[in-house]
Amino acid sequence: MKLLLTNIKELLQVRDNAPSKVSGLEMKHLPTIKNAWLLFEDDIITDFGNMDNPGELSEDNTLDCTGKIVLPAWCDSHTHLVYAGNREQEFVDRINGLSYREIAEKGGGILNSAKKLQNTTEDDLYKQSAKRLEEVIQLGTGAIEIKSGYGLTTEAEMKMLRVVKRLSDNYPIAIKTTFLGAHAIPSEYENNKDGYLDLICDEMLPKIATEGLADYIDIFCEEGYFSVADTNRLLQEGKKYDLVPKIHVNQFNALGGVAAGVTNNALSVDHLEVVTDEDISALQDSQTMPVALPSCSYFLGIPYTPGRQLIDAGLPLALATDYNPGSAPSGNMNFVVATACIKMNLSPEEAINAATINGAYAMGLSDTHGSITKGKVANLIITKEIPSYGYLPYAFGSDLIDTVIINGKPI
Ligand code: NIG
Ligand code: FE
């Protein structure tokens, strides 16, 4: 089936030969066509242009987009969308003065979510997660990465990954899967972190890899969690199973994990609320994408990733939600884009590049997603009537989406 969008006020992120990512000064440039049309056949973008030059176009199936802006659907490269229950009590505890770390030390935090998940059936976990996935699709997300890491036993980690696979089979958006067994040290291994890493390396990884349940491998490299040496060990082990690293690093402390990620050819290094000059040097001339998660900074009241500094140093930057029950209970990429502008001083052009083409790169999807390019998947956001694309981050609390199109079909 063909569908033609006409009279588009402005078509954003139009690229004839789309680069795999944009970096530094390139991020300030968002190529657009004003007064545009866009044609797609089934799930693939086939053509676009200016309304003054519609050529031979006559298509029965048209959608008039007068006053509306069209852009590629968001590419959310970092989420923990599969989880059981919620942690609003910890949220209240934080309001009353406890820190995120104190809550974790009392058995809350990731271990609290792991306990809940271990006691939840696979079907129930699927239902809870599917509801969240449906919500984020409505909010304009067209490709997403989902991590394990709230299981922390072989069976529970595999349960999470099987749920992700089921979501991927049943929903039209692209889903990439990351194995994050090294998210926290389970209480049974409290004084035996190496024993838990042995379990991950000797039991979890081989099983997960044999069943083809993960694309990427992740670890939380942080004080009180896993060290740089643990990170090196795990990423090298993952490489044996062709799992590419995407790591949690520099959320609270800069331990040297960014350089370890780069050395191990990480596709992305995520969080980066704390960044040193050494981290920036390690990222320069690498193929590793830095990923900022502003909703986590917002929710926990911790520093924002110095995205301005990273881009000004010539680096690329991607934006993602980190959707999870502890540090970012929101999968709203519209809020992420707005917050990146408001709190990280990104321009709307930079934020939109970071949430589309660079997000696609951080999931290995830039050949198919993240820009309006002939041959790419027709995953689109059609906005309501708005004055300009700068209005998207400006009116940060408003619902500005009219229609989301996934694989060429309005949702
Ligand atoms: O990315 N930092 C580590 N992991 C998650 C949060 C985990 C949780 O609190 O449940 C994150 O922020
Ligand atoms: Fe995370």
Side-chain angles (χ1 to χ4, degrees):
M1 192 188 88
K2 285 187 183 179
L3 183 58
L4 175 66
L5 308 186
T6 56
N7 300 311
I8 301 167
K9 183 181 178 104
E10 195 161 2
L11 180 63
L12 310 186
Q13 192 62 297
V14 182
R15 308 227 180 219
D16 279 333
N17 293 304
S20 60
K21 60 177 171 0
V22 285
S23 311
L25 282 174
E26 293 164 347
M27 289 190 68
K28 289 200 194 308
H29 180 54
L30 182 69
T32 76
I33 302 176
K34 288 190 173 144
N35 193 25
W37 54 268
L38 172 67
L39 180 70
F40 42 92
E41 191 166 350
D42 300 323
D43 57 340
I44 299 295
I45 296 170
T46 51
D47 212 353
F48 47 79
N50 189 283
M51 287 301 289
D52 296 337
N53 192 4
E56 299 296 300
L57 273 183
S58 67
E59 192 40 62
D60 293 343
N61 213 356
T62 61
L63 191 62
D64 178 54
C65 294
T66 300
K68 300 171 180 176
I69 284 174
V70 174
L71 65 155
W74 305 125
C75 296
D76 186 356
S77 67
H78 180 139
T79 85
H80 310 247
L81 174 142
V82 171
Y83 59 83
N86 284 289
R87 306 215 309 258
E88 65 270 35
Q89 185 51 48
E90 293 180 8
F91 167 60
V92 176
D93 291 344
R94 276 197 301 108
I95 293 170
N96 288 328
L98 284 183
S99 70
Y100 182 70
R101 190 172 182 145
E102 283 162 345
I103 290 166
E105 281 164 2
K106 284 197 335 175
I110 297 167
L111 297 187
N112 180 2
S113 284
K115 205 183 302 157
K116 287 189 163 85
L117 191 137
Q118 288 162 10
N119 294 322
T120 301
T121 64
E122 192 163 321
D123 272 342
D124 190 10
L125 187 61
Y126 175 80
K127 280 190 201 119
Q128 294 184 35
S129 308
K131 211 165 139 195
R132 286 189 282 267
L133 186 64
E134 285 169 20
E135 185 194 2
V136 303
I137 294 171
Q138 296 290 350
L139 288 166
T141 295
I144 196 166
E145 180 260 16
I146 306 176
K147 301 174 195 295
S148 72
Y150 289 123
L152 308 184
T153 64
T154 305
E155 187 37 42
E157 284 293 306
M158 294 194 60
K159 176 163 72 180
M160 289 187 80
L161 294 170
R162 283 193 300 265
V163 166
V164 182
K165 181 160 191 319
R166 233 168 111 187
L167 292 171
S168 172
D169 290 344
N170 293 343
Y171 285 87
I173 75 169
I175 300 184
K176 290 287 188 157
T177 314
T178 301
F179 169 51
L180 174 59
H183 196 192
I185 300 147
S187 22
E188 308 87 273
Y189 289 88
E190 201 181 338
N191 298 309
N192 182 16
K193 185 182 65 175
D194 286 341
Y196 183 56
L197 279 168
D198 291 343
L199 178 77
I200 293 178
C201 294
D202 301 341
E203 193 176 292
M204 294 188 192
L205 259 176
K207 282 199 177 160
I208 284 159
T210 315
E211 293 197 24
L213 286 173
D215 302 298
Y216 303 116
I217 187 159
D218 197 342
I219 182 166
F220 188 16
C221 179
E222 183 56 64
E223 267 175 27
Y225 295 84
F226 296 94
S227 66
V228 174
D230 300 334
T231 302
N232 277 316
R233 174 182 172 191
L234 184 80
L235 301 189
Q236 277 153 29
E237 199 61 31
K239 217 164 279 173
K240 295 184 188 159
Y241 302 94
D242 293 326
L243 295 181
V244 174
K246 282 172 64 67
I247 64 173
H248 281 73
V249 71
N250 287 37
Q251 184 177 3
F252 301 104
N253 297 284
L255 310 175
V258 172
V262 170
T263 308
N264 286 289
N265 296 316
L267 181 59
S268 70
V269 286
D270 302 29
H271 269 289
L272 308 176
E273 286 85 343
V274 180
V275 174
T276 65
D277 291 346
E278 289 72 31
D279 297 326
I280 292 182
S281 307
L283 285 164
Q284 273 159 342
D285 300 317
S286 81
Q287 294 304 311
T288 301
M289 176 67 69
V291 180
L293 309 166
S295 298
C296 171
S297 299
Y298 176 84
F299 188 72
L300 292 186
I302 62 175
Y304 287 86
T305 301
R308 184 70 277 136
Q309 195 189 341
L310 298 177
I311 295 173
D312 291 346
L315 295 174
L317 184 73
L319 290 166
T321 62
D322 198 19
Y323 196 178
N324 77 75
S327 70
S330 160
N332 190 341
M333 281 293 285
N334 307 285
F335 177 79
V336 165
V337 168
T339 307
C341 295
I342 296 163
K343 293 292 185 184
M344 294 165 57
N345 228 18
L346 266 60
S347 66
E349 293 80 6
E350 289 170 326
I352 292 170
N353 276 319
T356 55
I357 187 111
N358 284 358
Y361 179 90
M363 292 186 272
L365 288 175
S366 37
D367 285 347
T368 48
H369 292 72
S371 65
I372 304 294
T373 301
K374 287 179 204 169
K376 282 200 181 185
V377 177
N379 280 5
L380 310 163
I381 294 171
I382 304 174
T383 70
K384 294 178 179 162
E385 292 188 28
I386 55 172
S388 69
Y389 63 76
Y391 192 81
L392 290 171
Y394 163 80
F396 69 93
S398 299
D399 170 13
L400 299 173
I401 296 182
D402 176 292
T403 307
V404 177
I405 292 181
I406 303 291
N407 293 343
K409 292 197 188 71
I411 297 290

